[in-house]
Amino acid sequence: MTTVTLISNHMGIDTYLELRKAVGFKPLSRTQAKKALEHSLYIVCAYMDAQIVGMGRLVGDGAVICYIQDLMIHPDFQHYGIGSVLIEDLIRYVEGLCEEGTEIMLDLMCAVGREPFYQKHGFISRPNENLGPGMIRYIRKE
């Protein structure tokens, strides 16, 4: 396999929208995509031979909570370890934000069946004996 190159905090709107479409994520408007990228704490893109093959994106306050919002690997490049390379880069970034004697919560929501991938990287599933289930609400304007 060709070497994966990571590039941080440099992603175009069209590239983001194309990758979302390729992995089957909900479509966004260009305005939504632009705002999402601009308001991210950190973005990391994976390239092979100058072609984007995946990306990860963090949102949050950078002090108490960070959230992995997007972890996407193009379907043609899944199962080559690219997701692990990206998530470990995201984790290292958050570790760098953490002040001595404190902790930062790193959260995510994943698709059904993807839990083992995230557990392999130290994430715990909810609900469990200490934590209730995660919740979500979609706000839509017609």
Side-chain angles (χ1 to χ4, degrees):
M1 182 171 89
T2 306
T3 303
V4 174
T5 302
L6 299 183
I7 298 177
S8 301
N9 296 320
H10 184 74
M11 179 172 224
I13 296 166
D14 291 330
T15 303
Y16 179 56
L17 291 172
E18 289 167 16
L19 191 55
R20 288 183 64 87
K21 183 177 181 180
V23 300
F25 279 18
K26 287 183 178 183
L28 301 176
S29 72
R30 286 187 62 76
T31 303
Q32 284 179 301
K34 182 178 186 292
K35 283 184 180 181
L37 294 174
E38 288 174 350
H39 293 277
S40 299
L41 284 175
Y42 179 69
I43 301 167
V44 60
C45 298
Y47 289 85
M48 292 173 63
D49 297 326
Q51 176 185 359
I52 190 161
V53 296
M55 64 91 66
R57 183 169 77 94
L58 290 172
V59 298
D61 59 25
V64 177
I65 188 165
C66 293
Y67 186 86
I68 298 174
Q69 176 55 40
D70 294 313
L71 184 64
M72 301 183 281
I73 311 303
H74 191 284
D76 295 343
F77 297 92
Q78 292 179 1
H79 309 292
Y80 291 105
I82 298 165
S84 290
V85 170
L86 288 170
I87 200 160
E88 289 300 322
D89 186 75
L90 295 171
I91 291 167
R92 275 191 301 276
Y93 181 84
V94 174
E95 287 171 344
L97 297 174
C98 197
E99 294 181 35
E100 189 71 35
T102 69
E103 65 182 16
I104 296 177
M105 219 176 3
L106 178 56
D107 293 341
L108 61 87
M109 293 177 67
C110 69
V112 173
R114 301 282 193 212
E115 298 89 348
F117 169 78
Y118 292 103
Q119 289 168 339
K120 181 172 72 172
H121 294 281
F123 290 83
I124 56 173
S125 293
R126 296 179 67 165
N128 59 41
E129 62 278 356
N130 296 317
L131 299 169
M135 306 287 288
I136 190 168
R137 178 178 173 179
Y138 290 103
I139 307 294
R140 181 171 182 86
K141 184 174 184 178
E142 299 296 332

